[in-house]
Amino acid sequence: MRSDQMKKGLERAPHRSLFKAMSYTNEELDRPIIGIANSANEVIPGHIHLKGLAEAVKAGVRMSGGTPMEFNTIGVCDGIAMGHAGMKYSLPSREIIADSVEIMAEAYPFDGLVCISDCDKIVPGMLMAMLRLNIPAILISGGPMYAGKIKKRPIDLISVFEGIGARTDGKITDKELAEIENEACPGCGSCSGMFTANSMNCLSEALGLALPGNGTIPAPTAKRLRLAKTAGMKILQLVTKDIKPRDIATKNAFRNAISVEMALGSSTNTVLHLPAIANEAGMTLDLNLFNEISSNTPNLCRISPAGESHLEDLDAAGGIPAVMAELNKKRLINTSPVTVAGVTVKEILHQAENLDAQVIRSIDSPYSEDGGLSILFGNIASLGAVVKKSAVDEAMMAHEGPARVFDSEEDAMKAILGGKIKENDVVVIRYEGPKGGPGMREMLGPTSAIAGKGLARTVALITDGRFSGGTRGAAIGHISPEAQEGGVIAIVKEKDRIRIDIPNKSIELLIPEDEIQERLKKWRRPELKIKKGYLYRYAKQVTSASTGAIFR
């Protein structure tokens, strides 16, 4: 066993003595040692309950003859970090999470690993670590929270963000906003729409690195705890059979995940995370691959913010296996990869059933014939940009308008709430990319304010930053190259015209090429906004959003 390095033989007597100081017995040390990487804390609603989930995982490990040893990682809630300096740290935390799991699993050579997570950058950080370490491992999430309700109408966190714009526009009262605030997030779990956390938890199933139900079973249920116990039991099977993450997350598995991503219309952040996860396995996911798969993968789901359904509805409809089974009717899923469940994708889909065609459309009656995400290219985004097409109003699929240029999220937010953005405008927020931010902040505040003010059908927003999975409207993010790197977005001027054509996957600054080159010659790279600490080191090492914002 891998753990024999720290527990077997004469020379390891001191090591065993230290384990015994923590009350481990010889019998426990003789068993496979399973590391439990738990991201529980008291600052994320999706993680507040993970201590209990870890106990369920550990029970499963013990039932199957292993010895669990728990440790913790950091974690940031994007919703709470949103709109202030804290959001600069969210994406960068992904690398620290992956590094911390690597450190613990190498310092303590566990035989297997169970990663417990739920939200935002913690899930991809855990998946990155799993593929980097390549020891038997399984991901288990804390599950989505239930949607809130007001007069039987489902609401969620995005309802609160959009409520701010509605309140400043006089469409609702302080009392109504307070009611939305109090009811939108009714309990523990990742926020209830197809936002980043739930998108990644769903895609972990499609990758085969999590058990069926991982992405959709609601957080505060016994079913979620039973899944956690099962994960604890399954890790011993993976250890016994020596099945590792790279045996599971093959190129075919990643193609499956992108197909599911397109069928769900998941968060644009997945276009950052999947390439970063693949990179840890020595694979490259080119942005053109996303468009290639999107072109023949129908969009089957419209989960909030794209529609009224929430994750609890997707779970009741059959979950991710049902989505994959629909796709498989037209052979859009490769069924040969093995999964952490110990069976192949084919065997999982054999038992899947679509129980609600209102939530998961039939493959013969999709919302659209192509996927829910699109990668756009053009002179302002030569390396690509991403949009959640399924959450864009039909009226905004093609749009041309004057640029309204801001060098920070804060400046743009003041203009939007101050009523300075008008119909037909294209809001440009730059110097918010991986280097320029630094940290590539989410722009949920500005996009929600635009929607709350009733401008989602007439105003577009483009940025070298990124968006929450909760963003809706013509919001184009990940503009690459970013402004800090001298991308064309850096030389856009107020009132320049910008054309966005989502069906044709293009985005263009409508000025002559010689004018673009002349402006670029005059441009001077600004100093980094932060010159100390982790964010300074991050800005020095991080690469473009087009490569997943991985470290150089």
Side-chain angles (χ1 to χ4, degrees), residues 474-492:
I476 293 91
H478 308 195
I479 297 282
S480 299
E482 63 172 294
Q484 188 71 28
E485 290 277 75
V488 171
I489 190 174
I491 53 90
V492 178

Side-chain angles (χ1 to χ4, degrees), residues 191 238 241 276 339 497 519 528:
C191 296
L238 297 175
K241 296 178 180 179
T339 71
R497 294 193 71 79
R519 291 188 193 180
L528 292 173

Side-chain angles (χ1 to χ4, degrees), residues 265-471:
S266 59
S267 166
T268 52
N269 281 314
T270 59
V271 179
L272 275 178
H273 299 319
L274 286 177
I277 295 163
N279 177 68
E280 297 291 350
M283 288 184 273
T284 299
L285 295 186
D286 186 270
L287 290 186
N288 288 297
L289 178 63
F290 289 81
N291 273 345
E292 174 198 321
I293 293 175
S294 177
S295 67
N296 57 25
T297 305
N299 179 218
L300 303 180
C301 300
R302 291 284 167 93
I303 311 295
S304 176
E308 291 294 315
S309 299
H310 289 79
L311 266 290
E312 62 208 69
D313 305 308
L314 181 58
D315 187 63
I320 300 307
V323 174
M324 295 178 74
E326 284 293 341
L327 293 175
N328 196 43
K329 290 177 181 178
K330 291 194 175 179
R331 298 185 179 179
L332 297 174
I333 293 293
N334 188 304
T335 61
S336 62
V338 70
T339 71
V340 292
V343 297
T344 63
V345 172
K346 182 178 182 179
E347 291 170 280
I348 290 173
L349 300 193
H350 182 69
Q351 302 177 48
E353 184 180 358
N354 184 354
L355 301 173
D356 190 342
Q358 298 300 311
V359 177
I360 305 171
R361 287 275 186 98
S362 161
I363 193 77
D364 296 317
S365 182
Y367 286 101
S368 66
E369 293 295 338
D370 57 355
L373 297 183
S374 287
I375 310 298
L376 311 185
F377 293 94
N379 62 5
I380 200 171
S382 59
L383 297 180
V386 62
V387 62
K388 188 169 184 172
K389 182 174 73 70
S390 60
V392 178
D393 191 281
E394 192 64 34
M396 291 297 290
M397 286 294 179
H399 179 78
E400 182 182 319
R404 305 299 310 281
V405 184
F406 305 94
D407 287 347
S408 72
E409 175 190 5
E410 288 82 358
D411 290 347
M413 194 68 172
K414 287 176 187 175
I416 296 165
L417 292 178
K420 296 180 180 179
I421 302 303
K422 306 300 181 184
E423 290 187 5
N424 208 44
D425 283 348
V426 178
V427 176
V428 178
I429 306 179
R430 63 191 179 192
Y431 295 104
E432 289 287 6
K435 288 182 179 295
M440 203 179 182
R441 289 191 287 179
E442 288 186 349
M443 301 293 154
L444 181 58
T447 57
S448 295
I450 287 170
K453 282 185 166 290
L455 296 172
R457 300 184 78 251
T458 57
V459 170
L461 188 153
I462 73 171
T463 180
D464 54 7
R466 59 194 177 89
F467 297 112
S468 162
T471 290

Side-chain angles (χ1 to χ4, degrees), residues 244-275:
K244 301 182 179 74
R246 293 186 200 175
D247 300 324
I248 294 167
T250 61
K251 194 65 176 276
N252 283 332
F254 274 100
R255 291 185 69 95
N256 283 347
I258 296 172
S259 294
V260 171
E261 175 183 49
M262 296 306 167
L264 293 174
S266 59
S267 166
T268 52
N269 281 314
T270 59
V271 179
L272 275 178
H273 299 319
L274 286 177

